[in-house]
Amino acid sequence: MKKIIATEVRENYRVWLRFEDGAEGEVDLSVHVGKGVFAPWADYGFFRKATVGESGRTLTWPGELDLCADALWLQVTGKKPEDLFPNLRQNCPAY
């Protein structure tokens, strides 16, 4: 399980992240702005309040809005869930 160790909110709803394994990069979250649970992000000031969750397992905002570190790591690295969770390969006959 991945842990976020640093974050920086950037322009246009992008967030730079560094993970404890050394992976780092930027994630574009603009496609979610104003939709469903992400409605508060329509206020860019609110979006800028992103912080690393207490255990490093989430990127979080006030009001219990958060994103999983594993999912963000997959976006940053371009890897597939099977790369992070090798047991998924064992359960899928396509591998």
Side-chain angles (χ1 to χ4, degrees), residues 40-82:
W41 288 0
D43 172 1
Y44 193 67
F46 179 86
F47 181 80
R48 293 193 57 77
K49 293 180 181 181
T51 60
V52 176
E54 188 175 316
S55 65
R57 296 283 304 128
T58 59
L59 182 62
T60 188
W61 288 262
E64 299 184 22
L65 176 59
D66 58 32
L67 296 172
C68 171
D70 293 336
L72 292 166
W73 182 87
L74 291 171
Q75 288 183 43
V76 165
T77 62
K79 297 200 182 250
K80 295 179 182 180
E82 297 82 14

Side-chain angles (χ1 to χ4, degrees), residues 3-90:
K3 289 188 178 181
I4 302 167
I5 60 170
T7 187
E8 177 185 303
V9 176
R10 297 191 171 167
E11 292 185 26
N12 300 316
Y13 295 95
R14 294 180 176 276
V15 178
W16 172 85
L17 301 161
R18 178 180 295 138
F19 296 86
E20 71 176 352
D21 67 356
E24 64 180 74
E26 199 171 80
V27 177
D28 180 0
L29 299 173
S30 64
V31 298
H32 304 294
V33 175
K35 298 176 184 173
V37 298
F38 303 109
W41 288 0
D43 172 1
Y44 193 67
F46 179 86
F47 181 80
R48 293 193 57 77
K49 293 180 181 181
T51 60
V52 176
E54 188 175 316
S55 65
R57 296 283 304 128
T58 59
L59 182 62
T60 188
W61 288 262
E64 299 184 22
L65 176 59
D66 58 32
L67 296 172
C68 171
D70 293 336
L72 292 166
W73 182 87
L74 291 171
Q75 288 183 43
V76 165
T77 62
K79 297 200 182 250
K80 295 179 182 180
E82 297 82 14
D83 297 321
L84 185 55
F85 304 105
N87 287 340
L88 291 175
R89 285 192 186 112
Q90 296 173 359

